[in-house]
Amino acid sequence: MDLLKKENWWLWLLIEIFGQGIGIFILAALLKVYKKNAWYSKWYYWLIGVLCCFFPAVIMILVLSIQLTVECAKKLDVAGSEVYALPYVWIVGLIVPILGWIFLAVMNIYLTIFIIVAIYKGKAERFIHS
């Protein structure tokens, strides 16, 4: 059973609903989004984050989740890539209180839903490697 097939879109929906955010990490691995020299592949960043009372590590996991969501959406050709792939949009969303935070939440929900829609349309099947 290959998870990237078009007929398995419902499984991704269930993973997103009940997986509590772990689905994007699985999808990123299947789409080969992880980069070897990225910030998240350096163990000492994670060690420093954990040694600082776990709060920075939680923020790092949140940033990694958002980054992987954006990278997966770009690979699956989700509409609006020129907007959500820019880091400035995410930074401004963090800086502006209330409205910016609501915008970030809506943007994250949009990306998550349309990643599942892209899988439903069969855009992930080209990444299946036998």
Side-chain angles (χ1 to χ4, degrees), residues 30-104:
L30 291 173
L31 293 176
K32 297 184 183 352
V33 171
Y34 292 106
K35 295 178 181 144
K36 188 175 185 177
N37 295 323
W39 66 270
Y40 50 80
S41 64
K42 304 203 176 15
W43 63 270
Y44 47 87
Y45 288 156
W46 294 100
L47 180 65
I48 292 170
V50 169
L51 289 177
C52 293
C53 298
F54 290 103
F55 184 67
V58 171
I59 293 173
M60 290 167 60
I61 290 172
L62 181 64
V63 169
L64 176 61
S65 172
I66 291 171
Q67 183 177 358
L68 292 177
T69 303
V70 169
E71 292 297 321
C72 289
K74 280 180 14 183
K75 266 207 158 172
L76 295 175
D77 299 325
V78 172
S81 62
E82 61 278 351
V83 175
Y84 61 75
L86 296 172
Y88 309 112
V89 174
W90 297 94
I91 292 170
V92 169
L94 280 174
I95 293 172
V96 178
I98 315 278
L99 290 176
W101 303 334
I102 291 170
F103 173 72
L104 286 179

Side-chain angles (χ1 to χ4, degrees), residues 107-122:
M107 196 170 197
N108 198 17
I109 292 169
Y110 166 82
L111 289 175
T112 303
I113 290 172
F114 279 94
I115 285 173
I116 295 172
V117 170
I119 293 171
Y120 172 75
K121 290 180 177 179

